[in-house]
Amino acid sequence: MVFMGTKDEHRRKELGAFLRSRRERITPEQVELPTSGRRRTPGLRREEVAMLAGVGVTWYTWLEQGRDINVSAQVLDAIANTLRLDPHERGHLLTLANAQFGATEKNCQNLPAATQTILDQLQPYPAFVLNPRADILAFNRAYDRLLTPISELPVEDRNSVWLMFTSPAYRAGLPDWGAASRKSVGRFRSAMANHVGEPGWKELVARLKAASPEFAELWESNEVLGNTNLSKEVINPQVGRLRIDYTNMWLTDRGGPRLITYTPADEETRLRLYRLAELDQVRTPA
C-alpha cells in the first residue's frame, strides 16, 4: 500500500521511522538503565527515551507516530543526546523536523554552461556531476568508460544508486560492493530528508525497492551518511584495478549539485587511466 499524504505528512512519517530505528539500537546498558524483566522489543522503550530526554511520554509517542505537534530545537537536541546520534544523524533529525527552522531552499537543476567544458578538461581522469537525488547530470568520457557506458543508458537510468543495485557491470567494478552500497543508500536517505514527499524521490525509492531486495533491506535500516571525500578502488575490465581519490566539489550550496572527480591515488593508477584513454581513442578514432 502506498502512503498518500502531503509533503509534511511524509516528513513526519519519515521522522517517526528514523527515531524508532535509532531507539531500537540503544541498549539499556548503554544508558545505565536496569535490564530486569523480559523485553518484547529491541533497544529502549519509548517511555525510557522520554524520561532520559526530559519530555512527556505521550508527546514522544506522538512524535514517533508522525503526529502534527510542535517541536523545538532544544527538545530535539535532548532526544539526539539520548539516542546518541552522531553529528550527521543529528543534522538529519533536525532536517526532518525543519518546519520550525525554515524551509530548505530548492536546488536548481540547471548546470552552468561551462560545466561540460570543465569535465572534458579533466580527461583522462573520470569526473561527473550528481544532483542530491544521485542523478548523473553530466560526465566526461573517462567516467563514461570506467564502469558502464552511461551515454548508452536512458535518462531515467542515469542514477548512481540505481546503477549500484541494478547494473551487473557497475557492481562487478566495485570490489567492496557491500560497503559501497551501504554508503550509497545512507547518503541517498540523508539527502531525501530535504525532499520527503516529492514525487520524483518517492518514485525512485519505489522503483529501487521493486528492482532490488538488497536495496529494500538497506533502506529499512534507516542509516544516514554524509558526502565525504574518500579513497576507493574500482576495477575496469580493460586496465584492471584502480586506486582513486574521490573528491566532492559543490557547484552551489552544499545541498545542491556537486562535481565529483576521481584522481589517481598512486602512479600505477595514473598510468592505467592514461592507458584507458588511449584504448578509447583507438576504439573511436576522430
Side-chain angles (χ1 to χ4, degrees), residues 36 53 63 78 111-112 165 182 190 195 225 230 239 244 255 262 279:
S36 59
L63 189 64
L111 297 178
F165 290 94
R182 181 183 63 82
S190 178
H195 304 273
L225 294 169
L230 48 83
V239 298
I244 57 177
Y262 286 176
L279 290 173

Side-chain angles (χ1 to χ4, degrees), residues 5-256:
T6 66
K7 182 175 179 179
D8 284 343
E9 288 170 339
H10 279 278
R11 187 184 297 279
R12 292 195 299 270
K13 183 175 180 288
E14 183 76 9
L15 173 61
F18 179 68
L19 287 173
R20 284 193 299 276
S21 71
R22 302 305 90 173
R23 170 170 60 82
E24 290 172 355
R25 74 176 183 180
I26 301 294
T27 65
E29 294 87 350
Q30 287 178 287
V31 291
E32 300 180 353
L33 288 177
T35 58
S36 59
R38 185 178 180 84
R39 287 177 174 262
R40 292 176 295 178
T41 57
L44 298 178
R45 301 185 178 102
R46 285 173 174 168
E47 57 267 28
E48 291 170 334
V49 174
M51 177 191 69
L52 293 168
V55 300
V57 176
T58 300
W59 184 91
Y60 180 78
T61 300
W62 286 352
L63 189 64
E64 276 202 8
Q65 290 174 344
R67 297 203 191 186
D68 186 7
I69 59 176
N70 293 323
V71 56
S72 69
Q74 291 78 12
V75 169
L76 288 173
D77 191 56
I79 293 172
N81 290 336
T82 299
L83 297 178
R84 302 197 171 187
L85 303 187
D86 64 29
H88 190 76
E89 291 171 329
R90 185 182 298 264
H92 186 68
L93 173 65
L94 292 173
T95 299
L96 288 174
N98 77 348
Q100 277 70 40
F101 315 119
T104 302
E105 183 180 351
K106 294 288 184 180
N107 294 310
C108 178
Q109 299 303 314
N110 296 322
L111 297 178
T115 301
Q116 190 62 53
T117 301
I118 294 171
L119 291 171
D120 293 340
Q121 289 299 312
L122 291 171
Q123 286 282 135
Y125 300 155
F128 57 107
V129 175
L130 286 185
N131 66 7
R133 201 179 66 168
D135 297 319
I136 302 169
L137 304 182
F139 51 91
N140 64 7
R141 196 163 184 84
Y143 184 72
D144 196 31
R145 296 295 181 262
L146 186 65
L147 295 176
T148 192
I150 308 299
S151 60
E152 297 177 11
L153 298 175
V155 173
E156 62 269 21
D157 289 349
R158 296 181 185 183
N159 177 282
S160 65
V161 183
W162 177 257
L163 293 173
M164 178 73 70
F165 290 94
T166 66
S167 169
Y170 196 93
R171 181 168 183 160
L174 300 172
D176 194 3
W177 181 88
S181 62
R182 181 183 63 82
K183 291 176 182 177
S184 177
V185 174
R187 290 192 294 263
F188 180 72
R189 180 178 277 282
S190 178
M192 190 173 176
N194 285 317
H195 304 273
V196 173
E198 292 183 14
W201 290 73
K202 291 193 298 179
E203 290 168 8
L204 180 56
V205 171
R207 190 174 173 224
L208 281 162
K209 285 183 175 180
S212 172
E214 291 165 311
F215 172 86
E217 181 179 354
L218 286 170
W219 186 254
E220 292 306 315
S221 72
N222 267 279
E223 294 295 328
V224 292
L225 294 169
N227 293 305
T228 57
N229 299 332
L230 48 83
S231 295
K232 61 187 293 184
E233 291 189 350
V234 300
I235 299 173
N236 178 270
Q238 291 183 283
V239 298
R241 189 176 296 261
L242 303 166
R243 294 185 63 248
I244 57 177
D245 291 327
Y246 176 117
T247 304
N248 296 279
M249 291 177 279
W250 275 265
L251 300 179
T252 56
D253 59 89
R254 195 171 176 83

